[in-house]
Amino acid sequence: MRRIHVGNALSAFGLGFTVPYLYVYVAQVRELGAVTAGLVLAVFAVAALIVLPFAGRAIVRRGPLPVLLAALVTAALGALSLGLAGGAVSVLLSAAALGAGQAVMQPALATMIVDCSTAETRSRAFAMQFFLQNLGLGVGGLIGGHLVDTTRVSSFTLLFALEAAVFTLLVVLMSTVRMPRAPRVEDAQAPAGRSARGDWRQLLGHRTMVQLCVLGFVLFFACYGQFESGLSAYGVEAAGISTSALGTALAANTLVIVVAQFAVLKFVERRRRSRVLAAVGLIWAVAWGVAAYAGLGHGGRVMATAAFVSTYALFGLGEAMLSPTVAPLVADLAPDGMAGQYNSVFALVKQLALALGPAVGGPLAASLPAPYVVTFLLFSLGITVLALRLGRRLTAVQDHPWAARSRVVARGGPAAEPVAAEA
């Protein structure tokens, strides 16, 4: 588990190392223009949407570790070729390889955490994953920003080469991991001729998982999909904050996650998961209300900046509550041997939300700031409603595993086996 967490941190470090500077690299350093740079960012999302359905089935059939190693090699080759590419076609192909590799890492690592954890340790393991991911992204972006120089192509070539080296190091590190025996689809006596279509039919027939995916889409669309597009455009256009204040707001978001992650963990573990998700919706509704004051109020420049930074901080608090809640819930809903498929589907939902969020939020925030804030405030309240409805479909173990374990211990029985069997 420690090696898996190191893998999470290093993969996030590699991502934060280059992604914030892709637009500048393609549009200005390689002088390929804004259109090509926009296409590169779109290719990242499209590549993820294409490979994730296949990644889930591969994880189920082969296990998460071989899939992760293949994703790391693909990402390393994509990063290295991106640093050397000079034409539009080569840049787009390299971005596709890098985006596909990075997209597959997430469900593979999540499935490895599921296979190496128990019902008692899973929430804390995913909280640690989220903590290290944010730390890796922040440190990677900070170091990358000091290495790049828009007047020297070689500085970006070095940046992408270092990212490729990080992924190569991860290949070596993760090759030493010995995964515990976990159930695979081949272990069960599946019907003859079982196909990928059958797996998808089974998953889509799982109404609780479908309901969680709908909730996940709204979560990512209303929060993560707005960070670097709609919300930042709203802050600059409506609230009139400076770009440096925007950077402070992003730093506040990361700081709250890093500081609050383990402080809220015990609180979250002892509550029903559906009610934690409902509380996240209310916190984010308050965040959008504070954002409305920042852009539409009349409190002056300083107050607007403080309110905008507070908006990002409140989002960070909600994110810290999500990390030990959503991923373990996906794992508990998955049948034996299907955790990889379920993790990949949820990652696919996240990618769809992240692709559509900026496309909707950016133009709306720039042209209609008041409707923009009201729309996403309503989305946040919708999260609360959807979470409470989801709670009616969850079993006691799925919704409140800590209480279920406590009852088993109180009866004098072992906690781990009954919980695992019921889940």
Side-chain angles (χ1 to χ4, degrees):
M1 183 66 82
R2 284 194 294 269
R3 296 182 196 187
I4 294 170
H5 283 320
V6 171
N8 271 304
L10 285 178
S11 63
F13 176 80
L15 180 65
F17 215 42
T18 57
V19 169
Y21 315 106
L22 269 178
Y23 187 91
V24 173
Y25 171 67
V26 176
Q28 298 179 13
V29 178
R30 289 297 182 182
E31 298 180 347
L32 296 176
V35 174
T36 304
L39 286 175
V40 166
L41 298 177
V43 160
F44 260 78
V46 171
L49 296 178
I50 291 174
V51 300
L52 279 172
F54 300 99
R57 186 167 176 80
I59 293 171
V60 168
R61 297 293 181 183
R62 304 297 179 187
L65 184 56
V67 176
L68 175 63
L69 295 178
L72 288 169
V73 171
T74 303
L77 293 174
L80 186 60
S81 59
L82 192 58
L84 300 173
V89 175
S90 57
V91 164
L92 289 172
L93 291 175
S94 301
L98 180 57
Q102 290 178 339
V104 175
M105 289 179 205
Q106 179 183 352
L109 284 165
T111 306
M112 290 174 73
I113 290 177
V114 172
D115 290 347
C116 291
S117 62
T118 65
E120 290 81 5
T121 61
R122 194 161 292 150
S123 291
R124 188 166 294 273
F126 277 106
M128 177 63 77
Q129 179 202 30
F130 191 66
F131 169 82
L132 291 174
Q133 280 180 341
N134 279 275
L135 195 61
L137 283 170
V139 174
L142 183 64
I143 295 176
H146 284 85
L147 289 178
V148 296
D149 182 354
T150 56
T151 63
R152 293 189 300 115
V153 176
S154 59
S155 67
F156 283 86
T157 302
L158 173 64
L159 195 71
F160 286 106
L162 289 174
E163 182 181 31
V166 169
F167 291 138
T168 304
L169 174 63
L170 257 178
V171 171
V172 176
L173 175 66
M174 301 312 288
S175 297
T176 65
V177 174
R178 294 293 175 264
M179 295 293 296
R181 175 68 176 168
R184 300 281 170 237
V185 169
E186 291 92 338
D187 299 338
Q189 293 184 352
R194 177 170 180 161
S195 63
R197 184 178 299 178
D199 289 341
W200 277 95
R201 189 181 296 115
Q202 176 187 353
L203 194 149
L204 293 175
H206 193 164
R207 294 183 61 185
T208 307
M209 181 61 188
V210 172
Q211 199 166 333
L212 178 60
C213 286
V214 172
L215 173 59
F217 179 87
V218 178
L219 279 166
F220 296 120
F221 181 81
C223 176
Y224 297 94
Q226 304 307 312
F227 269 5
E228 297 176 0
S229 58
L231 192 55
S232 57
Y234 171 83
V236 173
E237 298 293 338
I241 69 165
S242 63
T243 53
S244 61
L246 179 61
T248 302
L250 289 168
N253 174 264
T254 303
L255 180 63
V256 168
I257 292 172
V258 170
V259 172
Q261 184 62 82
F262 295 103
V264 303
L265 180 60
K266 185 171 291 188
F267 171 84
V268 167
E269 284 182 325
R270 294 171 182 266
R271 266 75 184 173
R272 293 183 181 274
R273 286 167 171 170
S274 58
R275 293 182 182 176
V276 171
L277 294 173
V280 170
L282 293 177
I283 291 171
W284 286 356
V286 173
W288 284 109
V290 175
Y293 171 78
L296 307 175
H298 303 283
R301 181 74 172 270
V302 174
M303 292 298 295
T305 300
F308 195 74
V309 172
S310 300
T311 298
Y312 273 81
L314 286 169
F315 274 122
L317 178 60
E319 291 174 75
M321 295 170 66
L322 279 181
S323 58
T325 305
V326 174
L329 181 55
V330 173
D332 286 351
L333 290 177
D336 284 346
M338 292 289 288
Q341 185 88 19
Y342 276 55
N343 282 323
S344 294
V345 167
F346 201 75
L348 180 64
V349 169
K350 180 178 180 179
Q351 285 294 331
L352 282 170
L354 294 180
L356 293 176
V360 174
L364 183 62
S367 57
L368 299 169
Y372 170 74
V373 172
V374 172
T375 297
F376 284 96
L377 190 151
L378 293 175
F379 264 105
S380 298
L381 294 176
I383 291 171
T384 300
V385 175
L386 289 172
L388 293 176
R389 290 186 61 187
L390 175 66
R392 301 190 192 115
R393 298 193 61 88
L394 298 175
T395 66
V397 173
Q398 291 166 349
D399 196 23
H400 202 186
W402 186 86
R405 290 196 299 271
S406 299
R407 286 195 294 271
V408 172
V409 172
R411 290 197 298 266
E417 291 184 7
V419 171
E422 189 172 351

